[in-house]
Amino acid sequence: MRALVKIVITGASVIVLLQLARPSIQSGPNTAEIEAPQQVRQILNRDCYSCHSNKTRLSWFDQIVPGYWLVRHDIVTAREHLNFSTLGSQPAAVQMGKLYESVNMMQLGAMPPRKFLALHPDVSVTPQDLAVIKNYLAPWSSDSRIKAVSSPPIEQVPFQANLALVAKEMNGLAFDPDVEDWKPISFTDRGDNNSMRMILGNEIAVKAAQSGNVSPWPDGARLAKIAWQRVAADDGLIHPGKFVQVELMVKNAHLYKGTDGWGWGRWRGTALTHYGSNSHFVRECTSCHLPMRGNDSIYTLPITSAKSRRNEVLNYKAAALPRAMPYQPLDWRAITMYIDPVHHTMATLYGNDVAAKAVRNHAVNSIAKAYPPGAVLVLITWVQREDPHWFGGRIPDVPESVEFVQSNAPGSPSEYKLYKNFEKGEHKVPAEVAMKRTEFITSLAPAWLP
């Protein structure tokens, strides 16, 4: 009995002494809060500020060591990634970007963390709360503003730098100069940051997507997300404008065990300057992709005819092209893309090897040079749908039409074919319509890849 009493007393003494080992959690005023309506700020204050601000609110049980240590670690880490008390000092675009990321974290269940929510149910984000923030963000309202100041798409200038000499990221990840030979896996239209993106994959990644072997992706798979600014043209369409960046993900479950099995990198601007100022930039990548850990950290839904037992892993609806076509272009290289904001469609121009080689050699532009004989272009137009993984994004849904243009020998007209009602095969059109569509498709300016 005495031994038990001694143990209890000793244990209680240790717990009391541990309370003295309390590294502080710095607090302070909200010096520059996010610029948003009061209703939005009230939601953030109630549900997010306890960790993501300088004004920490701890429950009584959060104060007890060793639980206090865990809470402090979570708060310090949370502030490092996002601090609403100081976010207002950042440019408006950065503020909006962080707010979009917060919405996606909340709607995908990554924030607030489940373990935190279990002990603090009062910070639960309701569907009504999310609706308030989403209505404020209104990602697609910018389309009307773009159209009001529309201008012709810029004839893009190919990169002049030697891709083999692009500097490594600060974590040691090298830029892959073979990225311009990779093939498309999917495309996204991003209203949250006014960009449009191609997601490309190397041969291993493409084969994995085609077979549905993406849970997880195999070692050696490489994914590149290439982004351009959205620019509206006089034709009413939104085209790729100024090049923004290339983001690279390299799968190696052993080598990158500490960063969710992926190597991460980002290179910005035509100079392809690495994004990170030190190796810690990877925390930003893994934090952003945290909600998709159950999907091997990948937001993208590959366009593939393969199917999965799980929902929203593969985009097989977008791959439902008619089989009776002269070519199946989904494994060809992508030349450019555009968005029709009125009809809510998005289109990608694919090219066979002859066409892709001409583009890569800069032998094609929309002003002076044409595709050589043997080049085949395929324009696939999809109905858009909301990206289930990212609020503010849209992705391809069911295909609406497929158009083929084949260049013949000099002096011979190009051949045009249209597939619209897929069950009835080729859709015949008048000669003048075929000529106009051929002119339109062949005049689309390539979106130059690095």
Side-chain angles (χ1 to χ4, degrees):
M1 185 67 177
R2 291 181 179 179
L4 179 60
V5 171
K6 288 182 179 180
I7 292 174
V8 171
I9 294 175
T10 302
S13 300
V14 170
I15 292 175
V16 171
L17 291 174
L18 285 176
Q19 305 311 306
L20 302 177
R22 298 174 58 84
S24 64
I25 301 175
Q26 295 183 355
S27 62
N30 295 330
T31 57
E33 290 190 87
I34 188 171
E35 298 176 7
Q38 184 63 25
Q39 188 178 11
V40 172
R41 291 170 62 178
Q42 287 176 346
I43 294 171
L44 297 176
N45 193 326
R46 185 190 68 229
D47 298 332
C48 306
Y49 274 38
S50 57
C51 292
H52 291 278
S53 80
N54 290 337
K55 291 189 174 182
T56 302
R57 300 186 296 268
L58 298 182
S59 301
W60 67 266
F61 49 80
D62 294 327
Q63 304 278 2
I64 301 174
V65 173
Y68 173 83
W69 298 338
L70 300 176
V71 171
R72 180 184 180 278
H73 175 269
D74 289 345
I75 291 173
V76 171
T77 302
R79 286 180 182 176
E80 186 178 90
H81 184 71
L82 172 60
N83 190 333
F84 282 110
S85 295
T86 59
L87 183 59
S89 63
Q90 298 293 322
V94 175
Q95 295 184 47
M96 294 294 280
K98 286 296 184 181
L99 200 50
Y100 273 104
E101 183 181 340
S102 299
V103 168
N104 283 290
M105 290 285 182
M106 289 186 283
Q107 74 174 6
L108 291 172
M111 290 290 162
R114 293 181 180 178
K115 62 180 182 180
F116 183 84
L117 193 58
L119 297 175
H120 305 82
D122 55 314
V123 300
S124 176
V125 181
T126 68
Q128 292 76 18
D129 293 336
L130 273 178
V132 169
I133 304 176
K134 288 181 176 181
N135 289 337
Y136 163 64
L137 292 173
W140 305 108
S141 62
S142 61
D143 282 357
S144 59
R145 295 195 294 269
I146 293 174
K147 289 168 64 178
V149 295
S150 63
S151 59
I154 300 171
E155 182 68 31
Q156 299 178 23
V157 178
F159 292 114
Q160 301 298 317
N162 186 336
L163 298 184
L165 300 180
V166 173
K168 294 180 179 180
E169 254 294 3
M170 295 303 290
N171 61 346
L173 185 70
F175 183 84
D176 197 324
D178 295 329
V179 67
E180 60 186 348
D181 289 325
W182 296 0
K183 295 179 179 178
I185 288 177
S186 190
F187 313 91
T188 58
D189 179 19
R190 292 282 296 272
D192 58 322
N193 57 20
N194 193 33
S195 70
M196 53 203 313
R197 307 180 179 207
M198 289 185 185
I199 297 88
L200 308 181
N202 68 351
E203 185 176 357
I204 295 175
V206 169
K207 287 182 178 179
Q210 290 174 343
S211 64
N213 182 30
V214 298
S215 297
W217 290 75
D219 279 3
R222 291 173 175 252
L223 302 174
K225 184 180 293 183
I226 305 178
W228 299 267
Q229 290 180 352
R230 302 161 88 243
V231 176
D234 294 333
D235 58 10
L237 304 175
I238 296 177
H239 297 265
K242 182 180 179 182
F243 170 79
V244 178
Q245 65 184 20
V246 176
E247 296 174 282
L248 188 64
M249 293 178 65
V250 177
K251 184 62 183 291
N252 188 311
H254 176 72
L255 183 62
Y256 301 116
K257 184 178 181 180
T259 53
D260 297 330
W262 292 93
W264 308 80
R266 181 188 299 179
W267 291 264
R268 299 179 64 87
T270 54
L272 292 176
T273 304
H274 59 72
Y275 173 80
S277 57
N278 55 56
S279 61
H280 297 312
F281 83 93
V282 176
R283 295 176 185 170
E284 181 178 337
C285 304
T286 55
S287 296
C288 181
H289 286 253
L290 176 65
M292 302 310 298
R293 273 188 174 171
N295 198 37
D296 202 12
S297 298
I298 298 297
Y299 280 99
T300 299
L301 281 72
I303 298 175
T304 172
S305 58
K307 294 186 179 182
S308 172
R309 294 179 180 179
R310 297 164 53 205
N311 291 328
E312 304 296 13
V313 174
L314 304 172
N315 191 355
Y316 59 86
K317 287 185 178 180
L321 304 179
R323 296 185 177 182
M325 299 189 305
Y327 304 97
Q328 292 294 324
L330 288 179
D331 62 347
W332 291 4
R333 292 179 178 84
I335 295 174
T336 190
M337 61 184 293
Y338 65 78
I339 310 298
D340 185 336
V342 175
H343 298 97
H344 300 294
T345 61
M346 59 194 307
T348 297
L349 182 65
Y350 292 82
N352 67 353
D353 288 342
V354 176
K357 183 178 179 180
V359 170
R360 180 173 176 179
N361 292 338
H362 311 145
V364 175
N365 60 47
S366 62
I367 297 177
K369 299 178 182 179
Y371 288 92
V376 179
L377 303 176
V378 182
L379 184 68
I380 302 178
T381 301
W382 290 278
V383 175
Q384 284 186 310
R385 72 172 172 117
E386 301 299 317
D387 189 336
H389 294 162
W390 191 267
F391 172 68
R394 287 175 175 166
I395 61 174
D397 195 19
V398 294
E400 185 177 80
S401 65
V402 182
E403 298 171 88
F404 290 83
V405 173
Q406 181 167 339
S407 297
N408 293 320
S412 300
S414 298
E415 297 180 25
Y416 173 85
K417 292 184 178 182
L418 168 64
Y419 292 80
K420 195 169 185 179
N421 188 332
F422 295 163
E423 294 181 358
K424 295 183 179 180
E426 183 181 351
H427 185 81
K428 299 295 184 181
V429 298
E432 59 270 21
V433 173
M435 182 178 297
K436 287 183 179 179
R437 292 302 297 172
T438 297
E439 291 176 354
F440 169 76
I441 291 172
T442 57
S443 68
L444 289 170
W448 296 107
L449 306 182

